[in-house]
Amino acid sequence: MLTQLHSLSARCCCIPAPGRDVNPVYVESAVVLAAVLCVHMAVWNQHSWCSIALFIQAFYVQHKWDRLLRSGGAVFQFRPSANSGIVPASMVMPLLGLVLKEKCSASGNVYFERFSMVITITGMMLALFLSLIAMGVTRPVPTNTCVIAGLAGSAILYTTKQTLTVSEVIEVLEVLLIFVYLCLIVLYLMPRCFTPGEALLIVGGISFIMNQLIKRSLNLSEVKGDPVNYFLPVVVVGSVLLGVFFALLFCFMESETWVSSLFFHIMTAVLVLGILMPWLSLFIGRHPLMWLWDFVMFNDRRLCLVGYWVFLAIVATCVVLHQNYQRQSGSKKHQASTIVRKYFHLIVVATYVPGLIYDRQLLHVASVGCLAVFLLLEYVRYFRIRPLGQLLRQLLTLFLDERDSGPLILTHVYLLMGMSLPIWLFPSTCAPKGVLAGAGGLVPYAGVLAVGVGDTVASVFGSTMGEIRWPGTRKTLEGTATSVFAQIIAVAVFLIFDGSINLNSTYSWIVAMLEAYTSQIDNLLLPLYLFILLLL
């Protein structure tokens, strides 16, 4: 097995002869393999061996998906100008479950240790399902890939039988069922918005959250933990319900009229006040608005942070208005430059760093609230809901890039999620006093480091001063080098204000290389992989 792994790694990492182009997919896969091997060496159990088997079959299946996308043989319309992204997306949930299991096992938290195993197996099953779809529609049938996928699937199923209880297996199947139906709806209603890998990552995560919320709603007697942790699941499920309902409704009626807009606002209010608020109150034991008022008014520091964030939100709004004014004043600017778009990265860094240092609970709640507002505004823009729908379309068109090729504009949502995911996923129940030792102290900062600092510096320096390009990609060596250097400096600065972290940049090169070669949404992938590696 180890011999096969070294052979596969050599195939992915091989240096081509002069004059030959490097396939970015191979380098991207090699970087992901490096992350998988890091986790495997730290964990070293049957689930980590299964993650290696999953990587091997995903590596082969990705080529089938890429062929389908190039030939137009895919059932749905996926985001163009990008590969399928099966390899990096398939490994996120399994690796996340593996590292969370180790942390919970070390702290003696048996409940979340079992929960982490469910995350691992669920991620593997979702990836296998996506592989079956690719092989099922590929002609001629890829025999070698089918054999490899069959062996990997057999190993995963055997491990599932040996390690999960019957109720946990049922839970995995429930997530898979939700994923199937949600994928059909999302990919049909939102063509060209996702690659197959991004659909696996996003829809798979939403399916898991929905299943967990339903499970806890049916067993309220077992509900425990910090009330802050229940805001995100309720917001995600509510946003999905709202989007699917109106997407189906407006297939049969015009959405731009005042009557339709009034109906949208009324039904949104009914959903929030009549369903989501009572639903959330079941988990936190109080009316959410009263709980939120007491939470924000807890001390003066929270009031200062909220005021500071409101000021930054006004600054960001002024940047949008100013850029649109320049476009309308006769200049030839049709799209915002890379540097202009990175202004928002800097504003988000200025937003998140004080929250991470002084009050992470408040930052958790505020980021969930921003996610709800962003999704609601995107629905208003997409459906052209009056009076703001058309205005939002005009304002946001300037900031479109090649990743916004579908009907939705999700770049700002991805930025928010990339910065917030390490905070939302932080295993506070498995961390003594809410702090992880060693490099784990940097875990909540993974989004700031990977997206706010690393990706921003790489884009700015690479586009302005970069000359040496990585083979097979538009990214530059100068951008990658400055990205790693900037992350080291950022950690040193954070260390001054936060004594719970230490200076550690061991895995920054993996994230920097992934940023250089991936064609997926880097605002999602980079913080997730850095989060996983920092948990080791």
Side-chain angles (χ1 to χ4, degrees):
M1 183 68 179
L2 289 174
T3 304
Q4 295 175 346
L5 286 176
H6 289 306
S7 175
L8 178 61
S9 179
R11 179 182 174 185
C12 292
C13 303
C14 60
I15 300 175
R20 291 179 57 188
D21 291 333
V22 173
N23 189 337
V25 177
Y26 288 161
V27 183
E28 178 189 57
S29 300
V31 175
V32 174
L33 177 60
V36 172
L37 293 178
C38 287
V39 174
H40 174 65
M41 297 302 294
V43 176
W44 198 271
N45 59 22
Q46 52 189 332
H47 288 111
S48 67
W49 282 105
C50 286
S51 69
I52 294 177
L54 180 69
F55 170 84
I56 295 173
Q57 74 87 29
F59 179 75
Y60 280 90
V61 169
Q62 175 160 294
H63 295 286
K64 308 306 174 186
W65 265 110
D66 291 343
R67 183 190 302 172
L68 285 173
L69 296 180
R70 288 193 299 266
S71 64
V75 178
F76 297 102
Q77 298 181 55
F78 293 99
R79 184 164 65 86
S81 68
N83 63 55
S84 60
I86 295 297
V87 169
S90 296
M91 304 311 302
V92 169
M93 282 187 69
L95 295 182
L96 178 62
L98 284 173
V99 294
L100 288 177
K101 178 182 179 298
E102 284 299 298
K103 289 298 178 184
C104 295
S105 176
S107 65
N109 193 322
V110 179
Y111 174 81
F112 280 97
E113 183 181 353
R114 303 294 305 179
F115 180 72
S116 301
M117 291 172 59
V118 173
I119 295 176
T120 298
I121 298 298
T122 301
M124 292 180 178
M125 290 299 181
L126 293 177
L128 286 175
F129 174 76
L130 206 61
S131 302
L132 291 176
I133 293 178
M135 292 183 290
V137 298
T138 301
R139 294 294 181 271
V141 177
T143 306
N144 294 338
T145 305
C146 288
V147 171
I148 294 173
L151 293 175
S154 299
I156 293 171
L157 290 174
Y158 178 78
T159 304
T160 301
K161 178 179 178 296
Q162 295 295 317
T163 57
L164 296 189
T165 64
V166 175
S167 61
E168 290 169 341
V169 172
I170 294 175
E171 188 173 343
V172 172
L173 295 177
E174 290 170 349
V175 176
L176 186 59
L177 183 64
I178 297 174
F179 175 78
V180 172
Y181 284 102
L182 201 58
C183 255
L184 294 175
I185 295 173
V186 170
L187 295 179
Y188 174 76
L189 295 177
M190 293 180 284
R192 304 181 307 282
C193 288
F194 312 101
T195 65
E198 292 163 1
L200 171 63
L201 195 59
I202 296 171
V203 181
I206 293 175
S207 302
F208 190 86
I209 290 175
M210 291 181 68
N211 185 67
Q212 288 299 314
L213 187 64
I214 295 172
K215 176 184 174 183
R216 282 164 170 72
S217 300
L218 298 177
N219 297 278
L220 290 174
S221 59
E222 300 180 3
V223 170
K224 55 183 178 181
D226 194 338
V228 169
N229 296 327
Y230 293 103
F231 278 80
L232 178 63
V234 172
V235 165
V236 168
V237 173
S239 300
V240 171
L241 293 177
L242 185 68
V244 171
F245 174 76
F246 282 109
L248 295 175
L249 178 65
F250 290 140
C251 287
F252 304 99
M253 61 183 296
E254 183 64 41
S255 63
E256 301 178 24
T257 64
W258 276 107
V259 174
S260 298
S261 299
L262 180 62
F263 181 71
F264 175 89
H265 295 307
I266 293 175
M267 291 303 299
T268 302
V270 169
L271 176 67
V272 173
L273 299 178
I275 298 178
L276 298 185
M277 288 289 186
W279 200 353
L280 186 56
S281 65
L282 294 177
F283 296 112
I284 64 178
R286 294 182 58 189
H287 192 282
L289 294 180
M290 298 301 299
W291 181 91
L292 189 61
W293 174 264
D294 293 339
F295 179 78
V296 174
M297 302 295 294
F298 181 72
N299 56 36
D300 293 337
R301 175 179 291 176
R302 288 186 173 175
L303 289 175
C304 292
L305 280 173
V306 170
Y308 171 68
W309 291 338
V310 170
F311 168 74
L312 290 179
I314 295 174
V315 171
T317 303
C318 291
V319 171
V320 174
L321 295 176
H322 175 70
Q323 293 297 320
N324 277 271
Y325 173 77
Q326 284 189 328
R327 179 176 62 173
Q328 295 172 0
S329 62
S331 66
K332 296 182 180 180
K333 177 185 289 188
H334 298 289
Q335 294 297 130
S337 65
T338 300
I339 296 179
V340 170
R341 284 199 292 267
K342 297 308 175 183
Y343 287 164
F344 297 100
H345 286 235
L346 296 177
I347 291 174
V348 172
V349 169
T351 302
Y352 274 72
V353 171
L356 286 168
I357 295 174
Y358 296 113
D359 200 325
R360 295 178 185 176
Q361 278 197 322
L362 179 63
L363 181 61
H364 185 126
V365 175
S367 58
V368 172
C370 285
L371 178 65
V373 171
F374 278 12
L375 292 177
L376 179 61
L377 290 178
E378 179 56 23
Y379 289 152
V380 170
R381 185 206 65 83
Y382 174 64
F383 295 124
R384 294 185 175 90
I385 301 299
R386 298 188 179 191
L388 297 177
Q390 192 60 37
L391 176 63
L392 288 174
R393 278 180 173 264
Q394 295 173 356
L395 293 177
L396 295 181
T397 301
L398 179 65
F399 300 94
L400 294 177
D401 60 16
E402 67 275 4
R403 293 173 295 184
D404 293 312
S405 54
L408 296 182
I409 300 177
L410 298 173
T411 305
H412 57 297
V413 179
Y414 290 143
L415 175 61
L416 174 67
M417 291 178 62
M419 300 288 288
S420 304
L421 280 171
I423 303 168
W424 298 339
L425 297 174
F426 182 77
S428 55
T429 55
C430 301
K433 299 181 180 179
V435 178
L436 295 174
L442 280 172
V443 166
Y445 292 86
V448 173
L449 290 172
V451 177
V453 177
D455 183 48
T456 301
V457 171
S459 297
V460 173
F461 278 84
S463 61
T464 56
M465 297 187 298
E467 295 182 358
I468 305 174
R469 297 191 181 277
W470 288 106
T473 178
R474 295 180 299 173
K475 305 297 178 65
T476 64
L477 176 62
E478 293 86 349
T480 302
T482 53
S483 171
V484 175
F485 187 62
Q487 291 181 59
I488 296 174
I489 294 177
V491 173
V493 173
F494 297 156
L495 183 61
I496 299 174
F497 300 97
D498 191 345
S500 65
I501 64 177
N502 66 349
L503 186 59
N504 188 296
S505 57
T506 307
Y507 303 112
S508 59
W509 69 271
I510 296 180
V511 177
M513 289 300 297
L514 187 60
E515 189 275 336
Y517 275 96
T518 187
S519 61
Q520 307 303 298
I521 301 297
D522 50 6
N523 287 349
L524 284 181
L525 276 184
L526 301 185
L528 285 173
Y529 272 96
L530 185 58
F531 178 87
I532 291 168
L533 293 171
L534 289 175
L535 276 174
L536 294 178

